[in-house]
Amino acid sequence: MAKPAAEEGPRIDVPVVPGEVASLLAGDPVEVAPRLLGATLTAHSPQGDVAVRLTEVEAYRGEADPGSHAYHGRTARNASMFEAAGAIYVYFTYGMHHCANIVCGPAGSSRAVLLRGGEVTAGLELARRRRPAARSDRDLARGPARLCQALGLTRDDDGLRLGPPGSRIALELPGAGRAPDPASIRTGPRTGVSGPGGDGTVYPWRFWLDGEPTVSPYKPARPRRRGRTGS
């Protein structure tokens, strides 16, 4: 007589990062970042889907990078950066904004690509409702905080993994003939990064598509005033 099957707890399905995307994200973020330009990130929610074609990104090399959140090691805030490629790292900044990164490389390497800007290509009306302060459609996802707001991403999404279409967050790479011309890709210093990590001659790891109106303007780090403490 067969024994009754043991009772199991609730099953939590973890999305599997699609093969082509997983293969790309396994690499060094400095090489991955420019190849994400032209890719489409889609966020699914009960309100609907919003898709953004990426036009601006920044690479961060973890504990070897003085501009990275992981430079001083693992914390509760940056723990998702230490996951394997395909994880999403969402952080909260300035007490009001969320910014999203796609983790690259093997688990423990703490490398990621910050999603800085893009063009909303689907779910335009929903993105407009989420971004009522946008002066025009080009501003809906022009900047990392705006991009997160348009997609509806928050700290609740921190640690999730990219999945196939229909997942909470999915990434589609540009197909043959749709990838940006390499000659249109520009590089420069990362926006708002202070100290050695903001040196554009050593870390020219901001990548963007030349001529795209959805690329955010470059802003150097603001010098800190004496007597004030940073976060």
Side-chain angles (χ1 to χ4, degrees), residues 10-36:
R11 178 178 175 181
I12 300 176
D13 292 324
V14 178
V16 176
V17 181
E20 183 183 16
V21 173
S23 179
L24 172 62
L25 298 181
D28 187 303
V30 175
E31 298 175 0
V32 172
R35 294 181 62 186
L36 289 179

Side-chain angles (χ1 to χ4, degrees), residues 156-175:
D156 289 340
D157 299 298
D158 179 54
L160 296 184
R161 296 188 62 74
L162 294 172
S167 302
R168 166 60 179 149
I169 309 172
L171 179 70
E172 180 185 2
L173 301 179

Side-chain angles (χ1 to χ4, degrees), residues 11 23 33 44 89 101 111 115 118 125 148 164 175 184 197 221 228 231:
R11 178 178 175 181
S23 179
H44 174 76
Y89 167 47
N101 302 254
R111 299 176 172 184
L115 310 180
E125 289 301 324
C148 262
S184 70
R228 296 185 63 183
S231 58

